[in-house]
Amino acid sequence: MKQTDLLIIGAGPAGCTAAIYGVRAGLKTIVAGGAMPGGQLLQTNDIENYAGFINPVGGFELMDNMLKQCKRLGVEITTDQIVKLEGTKTPFTATAASGEQYQATAVIIAAGASARWLGVPGEEKLRGHGVSACATCDGFFFKGKNVVVVGGGNTAFEDALFLSQFCPSVTLVHRRDGFRADAVTVEKVKNTANIHLQLNCVVDDVLGTDKVTAARLKNVQTGAVTELACDGIFVAVGAVPQTAWLKGSPVELDEKGLVKVDYHQRTNIDGIFAAGDCTEPEFRQASIAAGTGAKAGIAASNFVNLHR
Ligand code: NAP
């Protein structure tokens, strides 16, 4: 069993920032980041709203820098996927899928969130055969093909812009005519000739036998159903917190599966903290994840210093 002062579960902006504060407070700090440490930003192209970068920074580059910064400061980063967290008072035991166990004086849960799916017929069967939730990862395979993007948030709009660079036609399907995406990004999309908006519509079926051939669209105002031929469907309808593994643990979740935290990022268990998208109902931003990670890192360091 590995012993540590602070175990951080998750290696996105929240986990990395918490680790920076933990290690700089003198704590032995381990980040269990899963097979691909870095979180959702690894799937983001250009980030223009994370302060400190004059020009847009790639999500991969930003996370790579954060991980390297952690390592330079002495944080140990492992690829363990934590599947169980036990204990109602310090020290806590975390078990990884590999069987590795950690005993930690304090724990910060920074497990992030993952793509939400539409849950319509055909979607699950054709995942990896034209249905994707990551334009950055899979967009390349759709060069020269016509695609659909579903959603009205920043992810959908940025995915549409990204895909429009190499797809002849990108149709953005959104269930209403108002957007969550930033005005600047919406304007860029509206000014891109090969992006078409299909508003007040939902994809209610993904058609195709071995690969996607069309999206069935339903207009939510008129009820009219049409088929839109396409080769790929990129689903960008938000995220769900990655907390299913905590069910059965003493850590309290809300009805949406978010870890409940107070102002100090404390959970209901003294010594277990949480930060980032797994706690965030509304403002899922890298800088906010980093900010709550900083709070959790400071609060957890204070806890460890009182308990070791
Ligand atoms: P989001 O902002 O929650 O938007 C999700 C979109 O999907 C909404 O437009 C929503 O419609 C729609 N939607 C949800 N469930 C649906 C369903 N079942 N069927 C059809 N449509 C559905 O999610 P996001 O775009 O992934 O962004 C998440 C967070 O990351 C946001 O805070 C965003 O600002 C941030 N982000 C920032 C950047 C950036 O700044 N560079 C890039 C990407 C993401 P309604 O609007 O009708 O609810």
mmCIF file of all heavy atoms in Angstrom, residues 207-229:
data_model
loop_
_atom_site.group_PDB
_atom_site.id
_atom_site.type_symbol
_atom_site.label_atom_id
_atom_site.label_comp_id
_atom_site.label_asym_id
_atom_site.label_seq_id
_atom_site.Cartn_x
_atom_site.Cartn_y
_atom_site.Cartn_z
ATOM 1 N N LEU A 207 -29.072 6.952 -38.167
ATOM 2 C CA LEU A 207 -29.359 5.914 -39.156
ATOM 3 C C LEU A 207 -28.067 5.360 -39.753
ATOM 4 O O LEU A 207 -27.079 6.083 -39.921
ATOM 5 C CB LEU A 207 -30.254 6.481 -40.266
ATOM 6 C CG LEU A 207 -31.553 7.149 -39.774
ATOM 7 C CD1 LEU A 207 -32.322 7.763 -40.931
ATOM 8 C CD2 LEU A 207 -32.435 6.155 -39.027
ATOM 9 N N GLY A 208 -28.097 4.086 -40.086
ATOM 10 C CA GLY A 208 -26.933 3.415 -40.668
ATOM 11 C C GLY A 208 -26.821 2.010 -40.107
ATOM 12 O O GLY A 208 -27.237 1.770 -38.966
ATOM 13 N N THR A 209 -26.270 1.101 -40.907
ATOM 14 C CA THR A 209 -26.137 -0.280 -40.435
ATOM 15 C C THR A 209 -24.767 -0.491 -39.810
ATOM 16 O O THR A 209 -24.653 -0.760 -38.609
ATOM 17 C CB THR A 209 -26.347 -1.257 -41.615
ATOM 18 O OG1 THR A 209 -27.544 -0.860 -42.291
ATOM 19 C CG2 THR A 209 -26.512 -2.689 -41.125
ATOM 20 N N ASP A 210 -23.701 -0.332 -40.622
ATOM 21 C CA ASP A 210 -22.334 -0.497 -40.098
ATOM 22 C C ASP A 210 -21.680 0.846 -39.813
ATOM 23 O O ASP A 210 -20.698 0.927 -39.090
ATOM 24 C CB ASP A 210 -21.448 -1.220 -41.122
ATOM 25 C CG ASP A 210 -22.072 -2.535 -41.517
ATOM 26 O OD1 ASP A 210 -22.623 -3.187 -40.615
ATOM 27 O OD2 ASP A 210 -22.029 -2.883 -42.712
ATOM 28 N N LYS A 211 -22.187 1.876 -40.480
ATOM 29 C CA LYS A 211 -21.656 3.231 -40.248
ATOM 30 C C LYS A 211 -22.787 4.240 -40.446
ATOM 31 O O LYS A 211 -23.803 3.906 -41.078
ATOM 32 C CB LYS A 211 -20.460 3.523 -41.153
ATOM 33 C CG LYS A 211 -20.723 3.461 -42.627
ATOM 34 C CD LYS A 211 -19.413 3.626 -43.365
ATOM 35 C CE LYS A 211 -19.522 3.508 -44.866
ATOM 36 N NZ LYS A 211 -20.141 4.550 -45.590
ATOM 37 N N VAL A 212 -22.562 5.419 -39.914
ATOM 38 C CA VAL A 212 -23.608 6.453 -39.990
ATOM 39 C C VAL A 212 -23.867 6.851 -41.438
ATOM 40 O O VAL A 212 -22.932 7.107 -42.205
ATOM 41 C CB VAL A 212 -23.164 7.700 -39.181
ATOM 42 C CG1 VAL A 212 -24.095 8.875 -39.445
ATOM 43 C CG2 VAL A 212 -23.110 7.387 -37.690
ATOM 44 N N THR A 213 -25.141 6.900 -41.801
ATOM 45 C CA THR A 213 -25.501 7.373 -43.152
ATOM 46 C C THR A 213 -26.381 8.621 -43.083
ATOM 47 O O THR A 213 -26.442 9.386 -44.046
ATOM 48 C CB THR A 213 -26.246 6.283 -43.958
ATOM 49 O OG1 THR A 213 -27.365 5.837 -43.170
ATOM 50 C CG2 THR A 213 -25.342 5.094 -44.267
ATOM 51 N N ALA A 214 -27.072 8.805 -41.967
ATOM 52 C CA ALA A 214 -27.956 9.976 -41.854
ATOM 53 C C ALA A 214 -28.342 10.204 -40.392
ATOM 54 O O ALA A 214 -28.263 9.306 -39.553
ATOM 55 C CB ALA A 214 -29.222 9.774 -42.683
ATOM 56 N N ALA A 215 -28.775 11.437 -40.139
ATOM 57 C CA ALA A 215 -29.385 11.769 -38.838
ATOM 58 C C ALA A 215 -30.849 12.037 -39.106
ATOM 59 O O ALA A 215 -31.180 12.739 -40.072
ATOM 60 C CB ALA A 215 -28.722 13.020 -38.265
ATOM 61 N N ARG A 216 -31.707 11.478 -38.276
ATOM 62 C CA ARG A 216 -33.119 11.816 -38.422
ATOM 63 C C ARG A 216 -33.405 13.003 -37.518
ATOM 64 O O ARG A 216 -33.140 12.939 -36.307
ATOM 65 C CB ARG A 216 -34.010 10.630 -38.070
ATOM 66 C CG ARG A 216 -35.417 10.801 -38.648
ATOM 67 C CD ARG A 216 -36.253 9.604 -38.426
ATOM 68 N NE ARG A 216 -36.675 9.533 -37.026
ATOM 69 C CZ ARG A 216 -37.642 8.756 -36.596
ATOM 70 N NH1 ARG A 216 -38.269 7.962 -37.432
ATOM 71 N NH2 ARG A 216 -37.973 8.738 -35.326
ATOM 72 N N LEU A 217 -33.896 14.067 -38.119
ATOM 73 C CA LEU A 217 -34.140 15.289 -37.350
ATOM 74 C C LEU A 217 -35.632 15.478 -37.128
ATOM 75 O O LEU A 217 -36.436 15.249 -38.034
ATOM 76 C CB LEU A 217 -33.614 16.521 -38.110
ATOM 77 C CG LEU A 217 -32.158 16.522 -38.561
ATOM 78 C CD1 LEU A 217 -31.805 17.888 -39.130
ATOM 79 C CD2 LEU A 217 -31.227 16.179 -37.407
ATOM 80 N N LYS A 218 -35.942 15.921 -35.907
ATOM 81 C CA LYS A 218 -37.336 16.255 -35.618
ATOM 82 C C LYS A 218 -37.404 17.710 -35.195
ATOM 83 O O LYS A 218 -36.676 18.123 -34.280
ATOM 84 C CB LYS A 218 -37.862 15.350 -34.507
ATOM 85 C CG LYS A 218 -39.318 15.565 -34.222
ATOM 86 C CD LYS A 218 -39.797 14.586 -33.176
ATOM 87 C CE LYS A 218 -41.226 14.918 -32.809
ATOM 88 N NZ LYS A 218 -41.684 14.164 -31.674
ATOM 89 N N ASN A 219 -38.234 18.469 -35.903
ATOM 90 C CA ASN A 219 -38.424 19.859 -35.522
ATOM 91 C C ASN A 219 -39.328 19.896 -34.288
ATOM 92 O O ASN A 219 -40.451 19.388 -34.333
ATOM 93 C CB ASN A 219 -39.055 20.641 -36.685
ATOM 94 C CG ASN A 219 -39.149 22.116 -36.365
ATOM 95 O OD1 ASN A 219 -39.747 22.518 -35.371
ATOM 96 N ND2 ASN A 219 -38.535 22.925 -37.219
ATOM 97 N N VAL A 220 -38.827 20.475 -33.196
ATOM 98 C CA VAL A 220 -39.585 20.409 -31.943
ATOM 99 C C VAL A 220 -40.789 21.351 -31.939
ATOM 100 O O VAL A 220 -41.677 21.211 -31.102
ATOM 101 C CB VAL A 220 -38.684 20.709 -30.705
ATOM 102 C CG1 VAL A 220 -37.639 19.635 -30.518
ATOM 103 C CG2 VAL A 220 -38.015 22.080 -30.825
ATOM 104 N N GLN A 221 -40.830 22.287 -32.890
ATOM 105 C CA GLN A 221 -41.972 23.205 -32.954
ATOM 106 C C GLN A 221 -43.076 22.673 -33.845
ATOM 107 O O GLN A 221 -44.251 22.757 -33.522
ATOM 108 C CB GLN A 221 -41.513 24.578 -33.448
ATOM 109 C CG GLN A 221 -40.655 25.288 -32.414
ATOM 110 C CD GLN A 221 -40.150 26.628 -32.872
ATOM 111 O OE1 GLN A 221 -40.027 26.888 -34.076
ATOM 112 N NE2 GLN A 221 -39.825 27.487 -31.930
ATOM 113 N N THR A 222 -42.686 22.093 -34.996
ATOM 114 C CA THR A 222 -43.708 21.653 -35.966
ATOM 115 C C THR A 222 -43.930 20.137 -35.910
ATOM 116 O O THR A 222 -44.918 19.640 -36.431
ATOM 117 C CB THR A 222 -43.268 22.011 -37.397
ATOM 118 O OG1 THR A 222 -42.059 21.260 -37.678
ATOM 119 C CG2 THR A 222 -42.975 23.489 -37.550
ATOM 120 N N GLY A 223 -42.969 19.423 -35.323
ATOM 121 C CA GLY A 223 -43.062 17.961 -35.290
ATOM 122 C C GLY A 223 -42.590 17.321 -36.597
ATOM 123 O O GLY A 223 -42.552 16.089 -36.713
ATOM 124 N N ALA A 224 -42.195 18.155 -37.580
ATOM 125 C CA ALA A 224 -41.777 17.619 -38.885
ATOM 126 C C ALA A 224 -40.503 16.784 -38.736
ATOM 127 O O ALA A 224 -39.582 17.154 -38.001
ATOM 128 C CB ALA A 224 -41.526 18.771 -39.858
ATOM 129 N N VAL A 225 -40.464 15.653 -39.439
ATOM 130 C CA VAL A 225 -39.310 14.758 -39.373
ATOM 131 C C VAL A 225 -38.635 14.735 -40.741
ATOM 132 O O VAL A 225 -39.308 14.589 -41.767
ATOM 133 C CB VAL A 225 -39.767 13.339 -38.954
ATOM 134 C CG1 VAL A 225 -38.636 12.346 -39.065
ATOM 135 C CG2 VAL A 225 -40.313 13.365 -37.535
ATOM 136 N N THR A 226 -37.301 14.911 -40.727
ATOM 137 C CA THR A 226 -36.553 14.870 -41.994
ATOM 138 C C THR A 226 -35.304 14.013 -41.785
ATOM 139 O O THR A 226 -34.872 13.802 -40.647
ATOM 140 C CB THR A 226 -36.083 16.287 -42.431
ATOM 141 O OG1 THR A 226 -35.445 16.906 -41.314
ATOM 142 C CG2 THR A 226 -37.225 17.137 -42.919
ATOM 143 N N GLU A 227 -34.741 13.553 -42.882
ATOM 144 C CA GLU A 227 -33.481 12.819 -42.792
ATOM 145 C C GLU A 227 -32.383 13.674 -43.394
ATOM 146 O O GLU A 227 -32.544 14.210 -44.485
ATOM 147 C CB GLU A 227 -33.574 11.481 -43.543
ATOM 148 C CG GLU A 227 -34.207 10.413 -42.692
ATOM 149 C CD GLU A 227 -34.246 9.047 -43.372
ATOM 150 O OE1 GLU A 227 -33.400 8.793 -44.254
ATOM 151 O OE2 GLU A 227 -35.127 8.264 -43.009
ATOM 152 N N LEU A 228 -31.276 13.785 -42.676
ATOM 153 C CA LEU A 228 -30.146 14.569 -43.167
ATOM 154 C C LEU A 228 -28.986 13.598 -43.406
ATOM 155 O O LEU A 228 -28.441 13.027 -42.450
ATOM 156 C CB LEU A 228 -29.768 15.616 -42.110
ATOM 157 C CG LEU A 228 -28.550 16.484 -42.394
ATOM 158 C CD1 LEU A 228 -28.770 17.349 -43.633
ATOM 159 C CD2 LEU A 228 -28.255 17.379 -41.189
ATOM 160 N N ALA A 229 -28.650 13.400 -44.680
ATOM 161 C CA ALA A 229 -27.547 12.471 -44.995
ATOM 162 C C ALA A 229 -26.243 13.030 -44.438
ATOM 163 O O ALA A 229 -25.956 14.224 -44.577
ATOM 164 C CB ALA A 229 -27.455 12.299 -46.506
#
